[in-house]
Amino acid sequence: MQRRPGFPAKLPVSGNAAMGKPVVPPASAAQRKPAVAAAPAGVGLDSSAVRARMVQKLAAGGITSAPVLQAMGAVERHRFVDSALVNQAYEDTSLPIGLGQTISKPSVVARMCELLLGAESARHGGLGRVLEIGTGCGYQAAVLSLLAREVYTLERLRGLHDKARDNLRPFRLANVHLLFGDGMLGYAKGAPYAAIIAAAGGDAVPLAWCDQLAVGGRLVAPMALSGGQQMLLVIDKTPHGLKQNVLEPVHFVPLKSGIA
Ligand code: SAH
């Protein structure tokens, strides 16, 4: 296999407790690309051990996909939060990332990734191109980079787009494409997508997302139902049309239009 320049698989991964050691049997894409940063952050955290505990809890909570557990065990979540919050980085909680936004809970990230891998198109040769709406701090994009061939991720707030770029730089993930723009419009240039995942919830699925989804592709997004309750929604694009499933209640920041 030909390696691309800057591929994280080239990075040294042994001998440093802050680097991500595999905590479950490696699988597929996650095996090829350990998402460890190029330089230690110096937080004095034995992050691989706390991440392993987080992964055990995710498995106990019902996450069964080996590639998802592997990816969650590999990505150093503490590098995506403010230094004051580092000791909470592996708790199952959302945390502030600035500008009124939050990094999603690990259990929610894992759940949504597992749902994406359930897409019809992912059953034959893995997940292809994925579009993420709401880059935030870039954490979920890093997880997705281990599960999909290409990740296009859109953020509408310039400050967070820049922050995600800074956060992701040391990971050198050649398959993550950070885009600044209004995710309500999707990103037509990368379409069609094997999967679309939204990290912010509106009260309707923008038409552009359905248009940009490949046949066999799957969209996973929080959506407010008529009563106002936000629920996790899965839409599969089949050769016969769109099939929608409403899953459990969730709590995401609002999907907003325009850029700022
Ligand atoms: N996946 C992120 C979660 C960030 S929270 C992470 O791992 O950190 C959701 C993000 O969606 C916020 O940063 C918010 O600014 C962004 N967002 C909301 N509406 C958006 C839109 N229309 N287009 C792009 N991003 C949007």
Side-chain angles (χ1 to χ4, degrees), residues 166-252:
D166 289 345
N167 286 344
L168 288 167
R169 188 172 293 118
F171 291 89
R172 299 161 76 192
L173 300 167
N175 64 340
V176 175
H177 311 283
L178 292 167
L179 306 161
F180 174 59
D182 182 359
M184 302 263 260
L185 309 173
Y187 183 66
K189 282 188 194 157
Y193 298 100
I196 299 180
I197 178 168
D203 39 31
V205 175
L207 216 58
W209 298 0
C210 296
D211 287 347
Q212 292 174 21
L213 201 59
V215 173
R218 174 173 276 192
L219 178 119
V220 178
M223 202 57 57
L225 299 186
S226 45
Q229 171 68 63
Q230 206 181 53
M231 304 291 282
L232 196 57
L233 198 75
V234 172
I235 295 179
D236 287 308
K237 192 165 186 172
T238 77
H240 317 290
L242 300 173
K243 254 180 43 192
Q244 179 179 303
N245 273 302
V246 179
L247 306 178
E248 66 270 19
V250 283
H251 301 281
F252 279 85

Side-chain angles (χ1 to χ4, degrees), residues 77 80 95 97-105 109 132-144 153-158 160-161 164 167 179-186 197-201 206 209 252-259:
R77 192 170 185 259
F80 293 86
L95 294 167
I97 53 172
L99 302 177
Q101 308 303 316
T102 53
I103 181 174
S104 309
K105 281 204 249 200
V109 171
E132 181 193 41
I133 315 295
T135 313
C137 65
Y139 171 70
Q140 184 170 262
V143 174
L144 287 169
T153 177
L154 273 159
E155 175 55 55
R156 65 177 289 275
L157 298 177
R158 172 67 75 180
L160 285 176
H161 169 75
N167 286 344
L179 306 161
F180 174 59
D182 182 359
M184 302 263 260
L185 309 173
I197 178 168
W209 298 0
F252 279 85
V253 295
L255 181 72
K256 294 189 176 168
S257 60
I259 51 171

Side-chain angles (χ1 to χ4, degrees), residues 21-24 45-61 69 72-74 87 89-92 106:
K21 288 183 217 143
V23 289
V24 292
L45 179 78
D46 181 358
S47 73
S48 62
V50 276
R51 246 188 338 278
R53 274 201 295 283
M54 177 187 84
V55 168
Q56 279 164 7
K57 285 184 195 157
L58 292 172
L69 291 171
M72 296 299 294
N87 59 357
Y90 296 101
E91 287 171 19
D92 194 28

